[in-house]
Structures are given as structure tokens and as C-alpha cells.
Amino acid sequence: MTYDIAIIGAGMAGASLASELFGAGRVVLIEAESQPGYHATGRSAAFWTESYGGPAVQPLTTASHDWLAAGGFLTPRGAVHLAGPGDAGLLDAMLATFGDRIALERLDRDALEGMIPGLREGYDRALLEASTCDIDVAALHADYLARGRRGGVELLCDAQIVAADRRDGVWDLVMADGRRVAARVLVNAAGAWAGAVAALAGASPIAIAPLRRTMVQLAVSPAPAPTLPLVIDIAGRFYLKPDVGGRLWLSPHDETPAPAGDAAADELDVAVAIDRLERTVDWTVVARERAWAGLRSFAPDRAPVYGFDARAPGFFWFAGQGGFGIQTAPAAAMVGAALLTGGVLPGAVAGVDVERYAPGRFG
């Protein structure tokens, strides 16, 4: 049997795209792990923030909001972009970049003290991004997989692709255990492994770079209130948010080059994160409970890559979605499905300039 479309990777990217391809023919979702979403999708910091990812990503994030909200996947949180000593100019730069795109409000010390108890001296200015929400990532991913299953998408797990050759308009995909899949179109939604998949298929060598991001869960005193906003250091030194049970999630906002694989937290990164926290607030760290890491994969210009490859006929890029792939999933899937099938962009993404995401921009 020959499939019309084979999607490599069943994380959020592959699952969302597969669910959007209803009516596009026979679709198979191929996952190297024993379960979908084991890597980046399952290790997300789980927030939706319009400014996150920069101006090239913001249209996709904004266009995803209504779909996510209608599905019940968002819970209001709010974000505070906090300026430390000497960083106030970065707030002005953020306003200049996003002021006409999203709602941002200046905060002074009095306002900050009411939102972030125990804030140390020198942290006197910030921007409030009130639209920020938490995302139920597990529910969203499960929903996409279920939608795809109802639409006839087949899922293959424990299926690592080791060879990809195209003959007479059909891809012959060989898995590590000897299984083979034939498909007319091959979609690269492999996240940190996107470069390796492209190399197997002889596609353009777009440098999708995996970068490690660390997260640690802490017990702190006083325990963070459930209403504490997402706090993002404007200079990119850390971010934090409350978790259930009065715990705190904290990241040093690291981006360490790493090979594609099962990422693990580095103890130095955990220590750096805690040090930055303690320099910002007077909370006491009671316990370091667990730490983990995920791989965020970026194209050279840090914008996603959507579209057919010029070098490898029948090879479609759906990769380079960094740390913003979950918050942009609905819009990205709509864009990807339209480009893949030659259809019209749905209304929610009709105003998105999809050419800025084309793989041909890298020459």
C-alpha cells in the first residue's frame, strides 16, 4: 500500500498537521519513540505568550489563540517582562517591536510589588503582557492525535527511519526494524532530528540546530500564589511560573547546543537558575525537587520552515519551530496543510505572510 503523505515525527508538530489533513488522502504518522510526544512536546513550559519567539512568530501565535481558547486549552496567567538594574532600555525596545501588535502595559515598582512579593531592590520597571495564558499541552497533543485517528491517520511507533529513497514519484522509507513505508510525499516534522531526516532524503541542508533548555521544579518559601504571573527576565536570564501544589517552575533560559537525543538537565544550569532567582526575589529555596531538559530546534533565522524543498521533490519541511511550536500549533498546522495540499489558507491565517517561512529563503 502506498500512502499519500508520510509525516516523520508525532510530537505536536506532526500530530497537529496530520489532524489538519482530513480529506487529503491516506496519511501515516511515523514516530521513532514508543509513544508520541516524548521529547520537546512532553517537556514544554506550557505557556502561550504572543511576544515569545519574536515578530516573525507572533502572527502564528496570535492566529492560534481563538482555536486554543475554543478548545478549552488555555487558562489566563499574564506575563511580566521584568527589567533588572540597567535593563530598562530593553523594555523600550520591546515596546517598539510589539507595541502596535499586542497589548503591553508599563508597570512601576508599586504595581510590581503587588504582583511579585519579595522583589529585590533594583527591579522597578516591567511590561505586563496580560493576554498570556497557560496551555494544557498534554490535552492539546492528545486531542490532535485523536482528531487524526478519527480522520483515518495511521500511527506507527518504535519506527525510526534509517533510509529514504524516492523512485518514480514514491518515497521508500525504511525503518530500523526492517519495516518499510511507501508514500508520495514525505513531511519532515522531526523536531531536533529534522536535519538528519533531510540528509537521509537528500533535501536541502538547512541547519536546524537543537538547543537544550533546562527547567527545574522547586519548593520555595513563601510558596508562590496560584495567581503569580509568568515572570520573564527582559534580558533573557530566566523565567518562572507557579505550578500546582505551590511549586515553582524555573528556567535559566539557556540555549546550549546539543545533539538530537534524550536531553537531560545539567546541574550547572540548575544552579545558575537558582542563583538568578535568589538575586531577583528574597524567597528561600526549600527543596530542588526535579529537573529536566528539552531540545528546541531553530533554523538559522529562528523562524519556522514550512514548504516543499527545491532539491528533493516530494519532500515537505515542517520544522524549526523552536520553543514556540506548541503555542503556534493551530496556525502552523493550517498553514502547513494549505501549502502541502495547494489549498487556500483558512480565514484564521489568511493574513499571515507564509513566504517568510519558505525553505527557499536559505538559498
Side-chain angles (χ1 to χ4, degrees):
M1 178 182 65
T2 299
Y3 292 92
D4 294 288
I5 300 168
I7 301 174
I8 309 300
M12 192 68 77
S16 61
L17 180 60
S19 77
E20 196 70 25
L21 288 170
F22 181 80
R26 298 185 65 89
V27 179
V28 61
L29 196 53
I30 301 175
E31 171 57 48
E33 302 294 345
S34 60
Q35 64 183 38
Y38 177 75
H39 292 288
T41 297
R43 308 179 194 198
S44 167
F47 53 76
W48 179 93
T49 304
E50 285 183 275
S51 63
Y52 193 69
V57 175
Q58 174 269 320
L60 296 168
T61 304
T62 301
S64 296
H65 177 272
D66 289 353
W67 193 100
L68 291 168
F73 301 112
L74 298 181
T75 303
R77 167 66 56 195
V80 170
H81 298 271
L82 183 64
D87 293 335
L90 297 177
L91 299 178
D92 296 332
M94 185 175 180
L95 273 174
T97 300
F98 291 108
D100 61 347
R101 297 167 176 252
I102 61 179
L104 296 170
E105 176 187 346
R106 288 190 182 273
L107 299 175
D108 60 15
R109 177 72 190 194
D110 289 342
L112 285 168
E113 287 180 347
M115 302 173 76
I116 310 171
L119 198 59
R120 295 193 185 278
E121 291 184 10
Y123 293 88
D124 302 325
R125 299 180 185 179
L127 291 174
L128 173 65
E129 188 173 346
S131 61
T132 294
C133 295
D134 292 338
I135 303 178
D136 189 336
V137 177
L140 177 61
H141 187 226
D143 183 76
Y144 274 133
L145 290 171
R147 287 171 184 262
R149 186 169 56 250
R150 292 193 298 269
V153 174
E154 296 183 44
L155 173 65
L156 300 180
C157 291
D158 292 312
Q160 180 184 358
I161 299 297
V162 295
D165 297 296
R166 185 174 171 85
R167 302 184 187 90
D168 300 323
V170 176
W171 287 99
D172 177 26
L173 307 175
V174 183
M175 298 170 226
D177 60 5
R179 286 178 289 170
R180 305 176 91 99
V181 167
R184 293 181 179 85
V185 175
L186 172 59
V187 176
N188 184 3
W193 287 263
V197 169
L200 285 176
S204 300
I206 299 173
I208 305 291
L211 303 175
R212 188 180 70 234
R213 170 61 53 85
T214 303
M215 188 72 71
V216 58
Q217 178 176 296
L218 304 172
V220 298
S221 179
T227 55
L228 182 75
L230 171 68
V231 179
I232 305 172
D233 177 71
I234 192 66
R237 290 178 288 247
F238 69 87
Y239 58 82
L240 61 86
K241 61 177 286 190
D243 191 33
V244 296
R247 290 333 193 231
L248 187 76
W249 280 13
L250 171 69
S251 173
H253 213 277
D254 51 321
E255 290 190 346
T256 306
D262 191 359
D266 184 283
E267 287 303 315
L268 178 59
D269 291 328
V270 172
V272 166
I274 293 173
D275 177 69
R276 291 172 180 173
L277 172 71
E278 292 176 333
R279 291 172 182 268
T280 306
V281 291
D282 64 3
W283 307 342
T284 299
V285 175
V286 177
R288 169 203 180 280
E289 296 185 332
R290 64 187 182 103
W292 64 97
L295 295 180
R296 303 143 49 83
S297 48
F298 288 97
D301 62 1
R302 298 179 73 89
V305 185
Y306 307 141
F308 281 102
D309 190 88
R311 179 179 296 189
F315 184 94
F316 187 89
W317 287 89
F318 198 66
Q321 300 191 71
F324 49 81
I326 292 172
Q327 68 175 34
T328 60
M334 293 177 204
V335 168
L339 293 175
L340 185 55
T341 63
V344 177
L345 289 172
V349 292
V352 175
D353 177 13
V354 299
E355 288 300 317
R356 71 192 310 174
Y357 311 127
R361 69 187 189 268
F362 299 110

